[in-house]
């Protein structure tokens, strides 16, 4: 089974639920180019050694896992171009078993075999870790929000605030002294924001995961902040060219900034999905025949090539089937996270499945 990153996330999530009292859960990673015969020889040797396990329940569980692995691998004439990954095991107490063999979305980096109390998913987890992250920073003179945009997920990392008094008309030297005190308080807050932003963003930049930094805020505060060296020079190099005017802090402010960023974030899945949900709601309110929902109706529209964008909730069990059908019929699939605004509403009201049509249709 060849899987994409979304399906792989779901598989990893299921595998991580498994915990055993003994080393009976089998994990096998086979990189491309490895002869199937070599892998089968190893598994057969392990099966013969397993006969020496003293505890019968553990021995039986290990032998069954190895037998499943040998059976599955025997049916493969050649390791695929991305390699193969196989997991097999059972719970001796409940009799529940699991067997998964897949071709991952990225090349398997190592040959790895182990029976353990857990399934070893760490190599797969590296494949789905976000590598195209956008940093988000909202700055005003007494408040700031630091966030991350990872694919179709928005994360609020930290919110900062301070008390900065407003201007006061004292007059004369008292006024100038008061203004200098306020300016120093603002500068101290900006330094604090810069330190926290550097701590969040620099490790991601050094790992090659942070691709850009979007800065926004009300009025001129964002410009004042960016004029000086509060941010590390390496981060300043990846700041997107336009600063975004936003009225809020926290998650509402980050969502507003993403929506206002327009073409600056056109390749980001979250921004694209957010825009598609708003378009779906617009056509729903207008009742203009440019959307479709209901499983049978969506399937028919896909089969006829009418769907331009397929919206599907990430928690649907049949998500892979719909993603594949969308690709075959030329529709752009967008996975809707429940973290996105209206995500839960979409999942609950439309069973997490709908389409935006290329042309108006009377159903």
């Amino acid at each position: 089974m060849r899987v994409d990153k979304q399906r792989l996330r779901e598989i990893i999530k299921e595998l991580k639920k498994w915990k055993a009292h003994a080393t009976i859960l089998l994990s096998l990673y086979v990189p491309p180019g490895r002869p199937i015969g070599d892998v089968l020889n190893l598994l057969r040797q392990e099966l013969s050694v397993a006969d020496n396990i003293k505890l019968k329940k553990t021995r039986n569980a290990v032998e069954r896992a190895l037998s499943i692995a040998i059976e599955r691998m025997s049916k493969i004439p050649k390791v695929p171009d991305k390699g193969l990954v196989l997991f097999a095991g059972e719970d001796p107490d409940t009799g529940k078993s699991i067997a998964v063999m897949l071709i991952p979305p990225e090349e398997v980096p190592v040959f790895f075999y182990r029976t353990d109390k857990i399934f070893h998913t760490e190599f797969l987890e590296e494949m789905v870790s976000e590598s195209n992250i956008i940093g988000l920073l909202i700055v005003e003179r007494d408040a700031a929000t630091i966030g991350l945009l990872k694919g179709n997920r928005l994360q609020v990392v930290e919110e900062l605030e301070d008390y900065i008094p407003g201007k006061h008309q004292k007059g004369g030297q008292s006024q100038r002294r008061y203004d200098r005190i306020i300016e120093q308080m603002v500068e101290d807050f900006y330094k604090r924001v810069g330190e926290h932003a550097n701590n969040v963003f620099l490790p991601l930049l050094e790992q090659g995961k942070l691709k850009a930094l979007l800065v926004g805020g009300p009025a001129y505060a964002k410009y004042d902040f960016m004029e000086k060296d509060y941010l590390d020079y390496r981060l300043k190099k990846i700041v997107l060219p336009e600063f975004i005017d936003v009225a809020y802090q926290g998650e509402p402010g980050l969502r507003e900034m993403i929506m206002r960023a327009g073409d600056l974030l056109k390749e980001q899945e979250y921004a694209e999905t957010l825009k598609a949900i708003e378009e779906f709601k617009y056509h729903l309110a207008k009742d203009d025949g440019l959307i479709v929902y209901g499983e049978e109706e969506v399937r028919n529209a896909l089969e006829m090539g009418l769907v331009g964008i397929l919206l599907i909730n990430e928690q649907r069990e049949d998500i892979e089937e719909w993603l594949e059908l969308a690709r075959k019929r030329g529709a752009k699939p967008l996975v809707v996270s429940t973290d996105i605004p209206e995500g839960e509403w979409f999942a609950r009201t439309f069973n997490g499945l709908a389409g935006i049509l290329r042309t108006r249709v009377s159903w």
Side-chain angles (χ1 to χ4, degrees):
M1 174 176 64
R2 192 178 294 269
V3 300
D4 61 16
K5 290 191 177 183
Q6 178 59 36
R7 179 61 180 145
L8 186 56
R9 289 188 185 97
E10 297 168 6
I11 292 171
I12 292 171
K13 185 177 179 181
E14 183 62 30
L15 290 169
K16 288 176 79 69
K17 294 177 182 178
W18 282 75
K19 302 286 188 297
H21 299 299
T23 56
I24 60 176
L25 301 179
L26 182 152
S27 304
L28 175 66
Y29 290 78
V30 185
R34 190 87 177 197
I36 289 289
D38 289 356
V39 181
L40 286 171
N41 287 338
L42 169 68
L43 293 174
R44 287 170 181 145
Q45 288 173 11
E46 291 294 323
L47 183 59
S48 64
V49 171
D51 195 47
N52 297 323
I53 298 174
K54 293 181 179 180
L55 191 62
K56 182 179 179 182
K57 189 181 286 188
T58 301
R59 181 174 66 249
N60 290 344
V62 172
E63 287 177 344
R64 277 192 283 271
L66 283 163
S67 296
I68 290 171
I70 291 169
E71 178 191 7
R72 295 289 183 92
M73 294 299 297
S74 297
K75 296 178 180 179
I76 305 297
K78 181 182 177 182
V79 176
D81 56 346
K82 296 288 181 66
L84 274 175
V85 183
L86 187 147
F87 302 96
E90 70 171 34
D91 185 333
D93 297 323
T94 65
K96 182 182 177 183
S97 63
I98 185 172
V100 175
M101 185 166 71
L102 58 87
I103 304 169
E106 296 180 7
E107 193 170 291
V108 175
V110 294
F111 181 77
F112 178 91
Y113 163 80
R114 188 170 298 173
T115 53
D116 208 334
K117 295 179 180 181
I118 60 169
F119 287 121
H120 284 268
T121 60
E122 55 267 31
F123 301 112
L124 295 181
E125 290 176 57
E126 291 177 8
M127 296 181 188
V128 298
S129 64
E130 296 295 344
S131 58
N132 188 25
I133 298 174
I134 303 294
L136 306 171
L137 178 61
I138 300 175
V139 184
E140 54 186 304
R141 66 200 298 272
D142 58 358
T145 301
I146 300 170
L148 297 172
L149 188 54
K150 303 177 179 180
N152 67 353
R153 296 183 184 280
L154 173 64
Q155 178 186 356
V156 179
V157 178
E158 192 170 8
E159 295 183 62
L160 305 169
E161 61 180 2
D162 203 347
Y163 173 70
I164 310 291
K167 289 187 177 180
H168 184 74
Q169 299 301 322
K170 290 180 178 295
Q173 290 185 346
S174 295
Q175 178 64 48
R176 289 192 291 274
R177 185 166 56 250
Y178 184 82
D179 288 344
R180 286 196 296 271
I181 291 171
I182 298 300
E183 289 172 5
Q184 186 61 52
M185 292 176 72
V186 172
E187 183 174 353
D188 290 344
F189 179 69
Y190 285 166
K191 286 180 180 177
R192 180 179 162 215
V193 172
E195 289 171 0
H196 284 251
N198 290 336
N199 289 339
V200 171
F201 297 137
L202 276 177
L204 295 172
L205 182 68
E206 290 167 354
Q207 294 166 25
K209 294 181 179 181
L210 188 72
K211 302 305 180 186
L213 183 59
L214 182 64
V215 177
Y220 294 100
K222 52 188 175 289
Y223 299 102
D224 294 339
F225 176 82
M226 291 303 299
E227 278 180 0
K228 295 188 179 179
D229 296 328
Y230 301 116
L231 275 182
D232 186 278
Y233 73 95
R234 290 165 290 178
L235 294 175
K236 294 186 81 169
K237 288 181 180 179
I238 63 167
V239 171
L240 292 171
E242 294 181 25
F243 299 158
I244 311 300
D245 291 325
V246 294
Y248 304 101
Q249 290 285 343
E251 187 173 342
L254 294 180
R255 289 204 303 264
E256 181 187 7
M257 186 162 67
I258 291 166
M259 289 293 288
R260 289 178 176 270
D263 288 345
L264 291 174
L265 296 179
K266 63 183 178 181
E267 298 300 324
Q268 280 300 119
E269 188 179 351
Y270 182 94
E272 191 175 11
T273 305
L274 200 61
K275 182 178 179 181
I277 285 288
E278 290 301 314
E279 184 180 351
F280 175 78
K281 288 166 58 183
Y282 172 81
H283 293 308
L284 179 67
K286 296 277 288 185
D287 193 21
D288 55 12
L290 283 169
I291 59 170
V292 60
Y293 48 88
E295 291 204 15
E296 184 177 349
E297 291 83 355
V298 173
R299 187 179 296 277
N300 289 339
L302 280 168
E303 294 288 359
M304 290 188 285
L306 297 173
V307 178
I309 297 174
L310 178 73
L311 297 167
I312 183 165
N313 179 262
E314 64 180 355
Q315 295 179 345
R316 283 188 63 106
E317 292 183 358
D318 57 355
I319 184 172
E320 188 62 33
E321 174 192 346
W322 288 103
L323 293 175
E324 183 64 23
L325 181 57
R327 296 186 189 103
K328 285 182 178 178
R329 299 302 178 183
K332 182 176 182 61
L334 292 176
V335 178
V336 181
S337 165
T338 51
D339 294 339
I340 206 167
E342 313 292 357
E344 290 188 7
W345 165 81
F346 177 72
R348 182 178 63 254
T349 308
F350 300 97
N351 199 22
L353 184 68
I356 299 174
L357 303 177
R358 292 190 173 95
T359 184
R360 185 175 285 102
V361 176
S362 298
W363 298 98

